Amino acid sequence: MIGSYVAVGDSFTEGVGDPGPDGQFVGWADRFAVLLADRRPEGDFRYTNLAVRGKLLDQIIADQVPKALELAPDLVSFCAGGNDIIRPGTDPDEVAERFERAVAGLTSAVGTVMVTTGFDTRGVPVLKHLRGKIATYNGHVRAIADRYGCPVLDLWSLKTVQDRRAWDEDRLHLSPEGHTRVALRAGQVLGLEVPADPDQPWPPLPPRGTFEVRRDDIHWAREHLVPWIGRRLRGESSGDRVVAKGALSPDDIKMRITQAV
């Protein structure tokens, strides 16, 4: 019975793409925390989300991992390295070496460390050419998990998030439903009974014509791709002025999820 959980990572774990009623993001980790809290007596669960969008692996290790170690929770989810992998010229083997050192430190001090693989990016226009690089990194993550006894939240094999409805308009972050499916899969990884099947097929979509697809692609490029490239060229990060959510109440998360629907 997990009584405390700390989420460590970047925009994926912060919950970008899954906005609450107050503008702050919810995300899979917060939703997963609710699943864990529901198995404890009321008030007997501690949850902290330290994730901040845009952070690279070394930034996460320097800023978030020491705080997670200080909190000494029963469970840490550690999702990091994705922003490194998508940068030109990075070596997934070298990134994995740094990732492993962080996992070694975490597993020596906390109960359980759950690691995550990267998504299959075959359908993501900006990232599909990085699919092989991401797969290489995923292979390292699984091997590291084996060496240190870490459960693996395998996002590559979660095929239902290949549907475009699982993704936000920016095509880089999950939608609320996408985050929900990841939270459910995280519960399954830890052997929890979950309220729905993350592999449940989506309802059929009406076919889209060539004009609709092209219109959507142009809108996406103007609203999301160009600003994303601009930040890269200026050396800016989307998380430069963002503060981690910190300690959160599962009851507050539930209320925000309900109000956002």
Side-chain angles (χ1 to χ4, degrees):
M1 295 291 287
I2 295 168
S4 53
Y5 166 42
V6 174
V8 171
D10 51 30
S11 61
F12 168 60
T13 302
E14 184 189 344
V16 175
D18 184 11
D22 54 0
Q24 187 181 69
F25 294 110
V26 183
W28 76 270
D30 292 9
R31 293 172 181 270
F32 175 50
V34 170
L35 293 178
L36 294 171
D38 284 345
R39 283 150 181 81
R40 300 285 298 187
E42 186 173 354
D44 188 26
F45 184 81
R46 292 182 291 110
Y47 169 56
T48 303
N49 191 321
L50 300 174
V52 175
R53 71 198 77 167
K55 296 302 180 183
L56 299 170
L57 175 59
D58 285 347
Q59 293 172 317
I60 292 170
I61 292 172
D63 299 337
Q64 299 178 32
V65 168
K67 295 175 184 176
L69 291 171
E70 184 179 342
L71 291 168
D74 297 330
L75 172 69
V76 168
S77 61
F78 183 51
C79 179
N83 287 325
D84 298 72
I85 294 300
I86 66 175
R87 292 201 165 197
T90 53
D91 179 357
D93 301 333
E94 188 275 329
V95 176
E97 291 177 3
R98 291 184 279 129
F99 181 89
E100 180 165 6
R101 289 194 290 271
V103 169
L106 283 166
T107 54
S108 67
V110 304
T112 299
V113 179
M114 180 172 67
V115 298
T116 65
T117 69
F119 291 100
D120 185 347
T121 58
R122 71 176 76 184
V124 184
V126 182
L127 304 178
K128 60 184 178 182
H129 68 286
L130 297 174
R131 191 171 181 241
K133 193 175 177 182
I134 294 168
T136 299
Y137 187 62
N138 285 351
H140 283 300
V141 169
R142 294 187 188 98
I144 293 166
D146 286 343
R147 287 195 286 274
Y148 293 91
C150 302
V152 179
L153 176 54
D154 187 355
L155 304 174
W156 186 279
S157 68
L158 185 57
K159 298 303 181 185
T160 52
V161 297
Q162 296 299 324
D163 190 286
R164 60 186 173 88
R165 287 168 288 186
W167 294 88
D168 185 46
E169 282 188 359
D170 67 4
R171 303 185 186 181
L172 292 172
H173 300 99
L174 293 175
S175 66
E177 178 63 21
H179 278 284
T180 298
R181 288 180 183 246
V182 170
L184 293 170
R185 175 53 56 85
Q188 289 179 334
V189 167
L190 293 188
L192 305 182
E193 290 187 16
V194 295
D197 181 6
D199 293 309
Q200 180 179 349
W202 296 79
L205 275 174
R208 292 195 301 162
T210 304
F211 172 77
E212 290 177 287
V213 173
R214 182 171 177 76
R215 180 196 61 196
D216 291 347
D217 287 346
I218 292 172
H219 173 78
W220 167 76
R222 182 177 63 248
E223 298 296 325
H224 302 288
L225 177 61
V226 171
W228 185 76
I229 293 173
R231 287 197 301 272
R232 293 294 178 274
L233 293 174
R234 294 190 299 271
E236 297 177 356
S237 168
S238 57
D240 282 345
R241 288 168 290 278
V242 176
V243 177
K245 290 185 278 190
L248 298 170
S249 160
D251 287 337
D252 288 344
I253 297 170
K254 287 181 185 179
M255 181 177 65
R256 294 176 66 243
I257 292 171
T258 302
Q259 290 176 349
V261 173

